[in-house]
Amino acid sequence: MTVDILIPTYSRPAALAVTLTSLIAQTYRDFRVVISDQTEDSNPVESGEVQAVLRVLRAHGHAVEVHKHLPRRGIAEQRQFLLEQATAPYALFLDDDLILEPFVVENMLAAIKEECCGFVGSAVIGLSFINDIRPHEQKIEFWDEPVQPESVKPDTPEWERWRLHNAANLYHVQKSLGLTQKEQRKYRVAWVGGCVMYDTEKLRRVGGYSFWQQLPSEHCGEDVLVQLRLMELYGGCGIIPSGVYHQELPTTIIDRSSPADQYVELM
């Protein structure tokens, strides 16, 4: 198996079913699915809609593992648990409320193999903003040369790259440049949320999410911290077209007052 698709989930059976359904049609087939559910009072993975999709994935030859992982100790611990289940060379962390175009896994894998970098992200697009065009947030810096390590820190010009991932900005840039799935380009990022493929060994070399024990149970920004560490040593990038869309449900991480970098050193 080349790719492990790692999905943390909490109390979202319908959204999870939609996300899993978009894996059925992926043009790249050599992947395993690992789900870690932290819902305390129910078993959303046992719902009819999720079980129906899991049966199709298994019928297509994909191994599927489901873990009930309690108690909840925060999203960084949940991601570290999933990383510990990974056995494939590449680990795709996928949020439980996304919709993927069929080319996404194949294109992400091709990019990370080509660049030998720490991660490749397909940033999530919110299509409810399709008519909200924001030219002031559409600056994009392409990697026209091989992806290289770089240091990105808060309060620097590089940090402002995050604005490209607001709303539907990436979709508007893709359309304005006439990019298609066969004309994929790599670009510089501050970080990417929601759909990120990591080189599993490189992620483990920087400690993965093992810093979870230094965080309060309610926290955010764990992916930001991990990706900044990986970029500094190995480089990382985003790819456009992304092909990943947000279901735009209310967040299950309501308290975002404790970002991980307030408690943990970058390196």
Side-chain angles (χ1 to χ4, degrees):
M1 205 65 63
T2 306
V3 178
D4 282 329
I5 299 181
L6 310 177
I7 306 176
T9 191
Y10 175 73
S11 196
R12 279 178 167 171
L16 177 61
V18 171
T19 301
L20 292 168
T21 298
S22 67
L23 297 180
I24 292 172
Q26 291 299 305
T27 54
Y28 185 80
R29 313 296 300 162
D30 187 25
F31 63 81
R32 175 179 68 132
V33 178
V34 183
I35 301 168
S36 178
D37 171 39
Q38 292 200 312
T39 311
E40 300 100 330
D41 56 357
S42 63
N43 289 301
V45 181
E46 297 300 320
S47 67
E49 57 266 42
V50 174
Q51 285 296 307
V53 184
L54 294 183
R55 284 192 288 270
V56 176
L57 283 166
R58 289 176 173 131
H60 283 200
H62 300 294
V64 178
E65 287 185 16
V66 177
H67 299 268
K68 190 72 168 179
H69 182 56
L70 292 171
R72 296 178 70 199
R73 300 184 181 94
I75 186 60
E77 190 275 341
Q78 168 82 310
R79 293 190 186 279
Q80 180 62 23
F81 173 78
L82 280 163
L83 178 59
E84 289 166 2
Q85 314 313 308
T87 58
Y90 301 97
L92 172 56
F93 274 91
L94 193 64
D95 284 0
D96 65 354
D97 57 348
L98 306 179
I99 302 171
L100 278 62
E101 299 268 18
F103 62 83
V104 169
V105 176
E106 181 174 1
N107 282 17
M108 294 183 83
L109 183 61
I112 199 168
K113 283 185 170 181
E114 181 177 329
E115 299 298 336
C116 298
C117 55
F119 70 90
V120 167
S122 287
V124 177
I125 296 166
L127 283 183
S128 68
F129 295 90
I130 196 166
N131 295 319
D132 180 0
I133 300 175
R134 308 178 182 186
H136 61 289
E137 293 186 341
Q138 292 180 12
K139 180 182 178 182
I140 188 166
E141 303 170 62
F142 289 111
W143 281 105
D144 293 318
E145 66 278 6
V147 173
Q148 298 293 321
E150 59 175 338
S151 178
V152 176
K153 299 184 184 302
D155 301 318
T156 65
E158 291 80 13
W159 192 256
E160 293 302 303
R161 297 170 184 167
W162 68 270
R163 297 183 187 279
L164 179 63
H165 295 161
N166 280 345
N169 291 334
L170 202 63
Y171 179 83
H172 294 137
V173 172
Q174 164 191 322
K175 289 296 184 183
S176 68
L177 297 176
L179 298 175
T180 69
Q181 67 187 72
K182 295 184 179 179
E183 298 167 328
Q184 174 179 282
R185 297 192 67 181
K186 307 176 188 81
Y187 64 96
R188 297 173 185 261
V189 297
W191 70 86
V192 186
C195 181
V196 184
M197 184 176 289
Y198 296 94
D199 180 305
T200 307
E201 180 57 31
K202 290 182 172 71
L203 179 55
R204 287 184 171 134
R205 283 182 205 160
V206 300
Y209 299 87
S210 59
F211 54 78
W212 69 267
Q213 297 182 68
Q214 303 174 52
L215 305 177
S217 59
E218 295 294 332
H219 59 262
C220 63
E222 75 292 338
D223 276 331
V224 177
L225 184 58
V226 160
Q227 290 170 30
L228 295 180
R229 288 177 167 182
L230 285 165
M231 272 196 289
E232 189 145 8
L233 291 177
Y234 306 110
C237 68
I239 55 175
I240 182 174
S242 159
V244 181
Y245 308 98
H246 206 289
Q247 294 181 41
E248 302 189 66
L249 303 176
T251 180
T252 58
I253 303 176
I254 298 171
D255 185 351
R256 295 180 174 269
S257 61
S258 299
D261 63 357
Q262 285 187 1
Y263 300 87
V264 183
E265 292 293 331
L266 178 56
M267 289 297 290

